[in-house]
Amino acid sequence: AQKVTQAQTEISVVEKEDVTLDCVYETRDTTYYLFWYKQPPSGELVFLIRRNSFDEQNEISGRYSWNFQKSTSSFNFTITASQVVDSAVYFCALSGTQGGSEKLVFGKGTKLTVNP
Amino acid sequence: GAGVSQTPSNKVTEKGKYVELRCDPISGHTALYWYRQSLGQGPEFLIYFQGTGAADDSGLPNDRFFAVRPEGSVSTLKIQRTERGDSAVYLCASSPGLVETQYFGPGTRLLVL
């Protein structure tokens, strides 16, 4: 069975602080995909990143960076110099590649509040 | 281009009634997914389609829930004899094919009184 754990339920920071959102996953698939989505107060899930299990290179996109460590089954997300507009619920998700496993399995989300 | 659209955005119904929720995927996307999100939780998978056929309906909670995609584009999620516990946000997503990134619509917020 696949499982995603986001242990941090809520995080509150002050603007310009760096913040890391943790994600730990479980899967028996040898090939799988990991995702992060952002859900602002408006409610729509916004895609941020997709990584496959064979690509452990860290990725940076502007103020966002992702650290994928297969050895610890983690895919953490860091926001550098946070801004008020980063306030949202962030979801980590996992999908497999075996038949019938294309569905996304989500964690419970981390609510990030960035205060001015 | 246009994203995934869902109608209605909000639906209030009474216990026992029948409801239909519609999803219009991104043009050209062959895979379509339905999820349900309860308050304070992550989305949970219900069903997905590849083309017209339901490839995996293992997430449908019971036989009151049914979904169709007759022409391989628009999909309708149907809920019979609604119960208060069905209240949630129903999310639809589409992707260009299997094992590709899923793009989500704004959701339909269903409230069963």
Side-chain angles (χ1 to χ4, degrees), chain B residues 12-84:
Chain B
V12 181
T13 191
E14 293 179 345
K15 180 174 177 295
K17 299 289 189 183
Y18 167 82
V19 296
E20 289 190 353
L21 312 179
R22 175 188 166 111
C23 172
D24 210 327
I26 293 171
S27 178
H29 280 194
T30 60
L32 184 147
Y33 306 77
W34 285 99
Y35 294 83
R36 180 167 71 172
Q37 186 176 21
S38 301
L39 197 62
Q41 302 294 315
E44 293 180 325
F45 170 76
L46 295 176
I47 184 173
Y48 88 86
F49 292 85
Q50 176 59 22
T52 60
D56 181 358
D57 64 357
S58 61
L60 295 178
N62 51 59
D63 61 6
R64 296 186 297 105
F65 288 75
F66 189 70
V68 295
R69 195 186 185 200
E71 296 178 358
S73 179
V74 171
S75 176
T76 305
L77 178 66
K78 309 180 181 196
I79 310 174
Q80 298 178 319
R81 305 184 304 279
T82 52
E83 299 177 357
R84 293 195 180 90

Side-chain angles (χ1 to χ4, degrees), chain A residues 33 35 37 39 42-47 50 91 95-97 99-109, chain B residues 4 33 35 37 40-45 48 55-56 58-59 91 98-106 109:
Chain A
Y33 295 87
F35 301 79
Y37 285 85
Q39 190 172 45
S42 61
E44 190 158 345
L45 277 165
V46 177
F47 166 74
R50 172 180 184 257
F91 290 97
S95 73
T97 54
S101 64
E102 289 82 2
K103 62 190 178 193
L104 288 174
V105 174
F106 285 85
K108 293 189 174 182
Chain B
V4 177
Y33 306 77
Y35 294 83
Q37 186 176 21
Q41 302 294 315
E44 293 180 325
F45 170 76
Y48 88 86
D56 181 358
S58 61
L91 297 166
L98 296 179
V99 201
E100 300 254 16
T101 298
Q102 296 178 29
Y103 296 92
F104 284 80
R109 190 174 303 272

